[in-house]
Amino acid sequence: VDFPSGYVHLSLMAINKLLPHLELGMIYMGDDETNSALHAAGYLRRDELRRRIFGTLPHPDRTRDCPITGMPNPVVRRTLTELRKVVNAIIKEYGKPDAIHVEMGRDLRTRPQPGSPSFKKYLDRIQDMRDREAANSRVKDLLREHSIRINRDNIIRCLLWESQKHECVYTGKAISFTQLFGGEIDVDHILPYSRCLDDSQANKVVCFRYANHEKGDQTPYEWMAGSRPDEYETICQRTERLMREGRMPYPKYRRFLQKELELDHFIERQLNDMRYIAKATAEYLRCLFGVDHAVLGLKGQLTSELRHQWGLDTILSELLDSPAWQAQSNLRPGEKNRADHRHHAIDAVVIALTDRSRLQKLSRIVQDGGMKTTGEILVAPWKNFRADVVKKINAVNVSHRVERKVRGALHEETLYAATENPEQWATRKPVSALSANEIERIRDKTIRKIIIKRLRDHGVEYGRGKKPDAKIWKEVLTDLKMPSGVPIKKVGVLKPEKTSQAIRTDSGRPANVKTGSTHHLAIFEWEEGTKTKREAVFVTMLEAARRALDKEPIIRRTLKDHPEAKFVMSLSRGEMVIATVQDEEHLLVFNTAAQTSRQMWFHLHTDARKLSDRKKYSFMTNTLIARKVTIDTVGQIRWAND
């Protein structure tokens, strides 16, 4: 229920407890305990509840006295869950800290010198803030005039309505102020929130509820481009007009044109913009202390400045065994080297040593124009400080998240039919969806000749490695017909596949599918004569799900064909081993393996580059000389149980 301003949300039980005290003339939330109905009824104010001190960080959902309870943002919840593991492990190992320093994601905003390149941007930013304040003030007056509750959601709804010229962007129909708050209008995420986690105003529009219901969990392109291209073109033209009139930012307009939606892109952007996460983190950590100032928030730019002044920027790029050394040549001048996970540890050192005294001195230096202008730097915290940091960074063991859960796609959506060749399967595809290298694998010879002739007549190349223009490809493969005049809409395509697996479809008929990702592999070892033999058993996500459903152990420690075989270890993505490579031991993270070639790939625990850029350590089952380990949340190595 959306109560008007001045009302509170209370249960019937709470009302019955409070009412007698209110009838005696007490104030609902009085500062004086003798005149507070809330205290008299046995309740505490929210700020009093927050002062409850915990010995360790509780689960976020069990901290009803903190504003993080029930946090809907999955990225923030994941962050708080990982934070809890680390902080509680530190408390268990070293005891409860006296204070905690948190690096905030906001930049340190300073006033540039007039005439400098950044001064105009500074003035534009100030003007933009003033314009937003004026717009919010105007909308509040409008809401007050119509007796609409003034809150963040209603203000955003009204601002979106004004920016859209009082029209629905999807239907083009006019929206009256009465309709806007009368239940007919929804605030819709242009790119579905469940798929992009983008809840910003740049991803929101107001539209009629029926249009929002029809759009569902789709992007505008997915919703209309294929089924109703004319209507989709009208929406694009409507939003482009708003963009050209200055009512809609260009990035927001681009969302209506976006064809593909990648969750990782949005998650990465939200993680980089730490404002929301840092605020929730600080609130969460205050559960451990009786005073707010025990949790100190530091601006990101201050950390960067201190790291530079203390000479810690170049530590990782000077270590020859670090991925940062290899990535140094690709960086722009002044860009932070993030190729090594240990850059977080260096930041942690800086953050821990930043107290209020250093903060004030550094702020003064930055306000005066920075180190380059003043020539002033902060002295290192102690003698041989940098050498001590290098020694500690070299000893850091990076902990990785292990993917052992049975979740995700169990197999590909495509169903395959058996052929004469046991390693070759057939599937049906629309002609327009064929790729260039699938033309020669069309099962029907007559249809294959017709399609090849059409492509050659139009000068379109096909075959392995060819990438013809998508628009021309689609036009050429339209309106194909058999000699009898029957249209060719779908064709059978042969696909070589050695790892397919039989399943039962909804109709009850068996079919074959290509299995999804590998859940884990299990390595066994046994003696055969004078030789030691090894075998790796690959367990797909589909097989792991079947075992879980049948309540069987997901990881089997016995080998069916060799009961005497010794179970060496199991490996899931993210698990770690200490492996011998060229007579040297390395701490490696398991990445993936190929069932057909029996090959396994690992990378260094410190490597934070893109997967394609990481140095790969490749082993066959018989060449892997390693022992499985686990790294706990404080970086200690422990031998695994297998």
Side-chain angles (χ1 to χ4, degrees), residues 55 64 78 83 124 165 245 276 346 392 394 454 597 607 618:
R64 61 176 184 169
R78 175 71 169 272
L83 173 74
D124 291 341
K165 298 172 67 174
E245 292 174 1
Y276 188 25
I346 294 175
K392 288 294 181 183
N394 264 325
R454 173 69 69 90
S597 65
D607 203 333
S618 175

Side-chain angles (χ1 to χ4, degrees), residues 126 128 136 143 167 238 313 339 358 367 387-388 402 424 475 487 493 510 542 549 570 606 615:
I126 295 296
D128 183 56
N136 287 340
L143 295 175
E167 288 183 352
R238 188 179 297 123
D313 267 337
R358 289 193 178 101
Q367 292 285 354
D388 291 344
V402 180
Q424 203 168 50
E475 289 176 356
V493 179
L542 181 62
L549 190 64
S570 65
T606 57
K615 180 182 178 181

Side-chain angles (χ1 to χ4, degrees), residues 135 138-139 155-169 180 190 201-202 204-206 238-239 241-249 252:
R138 186 187 69 255
V139 166
I155 291 172
I156 290 176
R157 180 180 288 257
C158 202
L159 288 172
L160 293 171
W161 176 65
E162 288 184 346
S163 68
Q164 294 172 203
K165 298 172 67 174
H166 308 169
E167 288 183 352
C168 170
V169 292
L180 186 64
I190 305 167
Q201 196 167 329
K204 293 179 179 178
V205 292
V206 288
R238 188 179 297 123
T239 52
R241 189 162 56 249
L242 292 173
M243 184 265 295
R244 295 191 181 280
E245 292 174 1
R247 293 176 171 270
M248 179 179 289
K252 186 172 183 177

Side-chain angles (χ1 to χ4, degrees), residues 23 32 86 99 104 125 156-158 192 236 240 278 318 326 336 359 365 372 387 456 479 483 485 572 585 603 617:
E23 288 174 342
D32 185 359
V86 174
M104 312 296 281
R125 188 167 64 248
I156 290 176
R157 180 180 288 257
C158 202
C236 293
E240 183 181 10
E318 292 172 3
Q326 302 167 31
K336 182 180 178 180
L359 206 60
I365 294 173
K372 291 182 179 179
R456 287 176 176 171
D479 298 330
S572 297
E585 288 190 340
H603 61 263
Y617 291 80

Side-chain angles (χ1 to χ4, degrees), residues 68-77 193 197 276:
I68 59 170
T69 304
M71 184 73 69
N73 190 313
V75 179
V76 178
R77 289 186 64 83
Y193 175 73
L197 308 180
Y276 188 25

Side-chain angles (χ1 to χ4, degrees), residues 28-133:
Y28 170 66
M29 198 183 293
D31 293 330
D32 185 359
E33 289 192 12
T34 61
N35 194 34
S36 171
L38 203 64
H39 286 106
Y43 296 112
L44 294 174
R45 297 194 308 269
R46 188 182 185 91
D47 61 322
E48 293 173 323
L49 284 170
R50 252 189 56 191
R51 294 304 174 195
R52 179 183 174 190
I53 301 174
F54 293 86
T56 56
L57 279 180
H59 190 281
D61 288 341
R62 295 174 186 165
T63 55
R64 61 176 184 169
D65 45 357
C66 285
I68 59 170
T69 304
M71 184 73 69
N73 190 313
V75 179
V76 178
R77 289 186 64 83
R78 175 71 169 272
T79 303
L80 298 182
T81 301
E82 295 299 322
L83 173 74
R84 179 175 176 241
K85 292 178 186 177
V86 174
V87 172
N88 287 349
I90 291 172
I91 292 174
K92 182 179 179 181
E93 185 73 19
Y94 304 106
K96 191 173 178 180
D98 298 319
I100 297 179
H101 295 181
V102 182
E103 182 184 20
M104 312 296 281
R106 299 176 182 178
D107 291 336
L108 180 65
R109 298 295 187 186
T110 58
R111 189 178 189 276
Q113 296 294 327
S116 65
S118 56
F119 188 69
K120 186 179 183 304
K121 292 182 179 179
Y122 168 78
L123 295 178
D124 291 341
R125 188 167 64 248
I126 295 296
Q127 185 60 47
D128 183 56
M129 291 171 58
R130 289 174 179 168
D131 291 343
R132 291 186 183 185
E133 289 173 359

Side-chain angles (χ1 to χ4, degrees), residues 373-437:
T373 302
T374 63
E376 186 179 358
I377 62 170
L378 287 178
V379 295
W382 62 78
K383 188 178 179 181
N384 298 325
F385 168 68
R386 190 178 187 277
D388 291 344
V389 174
V390 171
K391 183 179 178 180
K392 288 294 181 183
I393 293 301
N394 264 325
V396 167
N397 300 313
V398 182
S399 175
H400 289 257
R401 187 179 182 86
V402 180
E403 299 178 17
R404 291 197 195 94
K405 290 187 177 180
V406 182
R407 62 182 180 187
L410 302 183
H411 57 80
E412 290 185 355
E413 295 181 3
T414 306
L415 298 179
Y416 295 98
T419 66
E420 300 80 11
N421 186 343
E423 293 186 355
Q424 203 168 50
W425 302 86
T427 184
R428 290 185 64 77
K429 293 185 69 173
V431 176
S432 58
L434 290 171
S435 62
N437 66 331

Side-chain angles (χ1 to χ4, degrees), residues 215 218-227 232 255-260:
K215 176 175 176 281
Q218 302 177 85
T219 66
Y221 181 85
E222 293 169 345
W223 176 32
M224 282 190 173
S227 58
Y232 175 68
R255 283 169 164 81
F256 289 89
L257 310 179
Q258 191 165 326
K259 296 181 180 180
E260 296 180 356

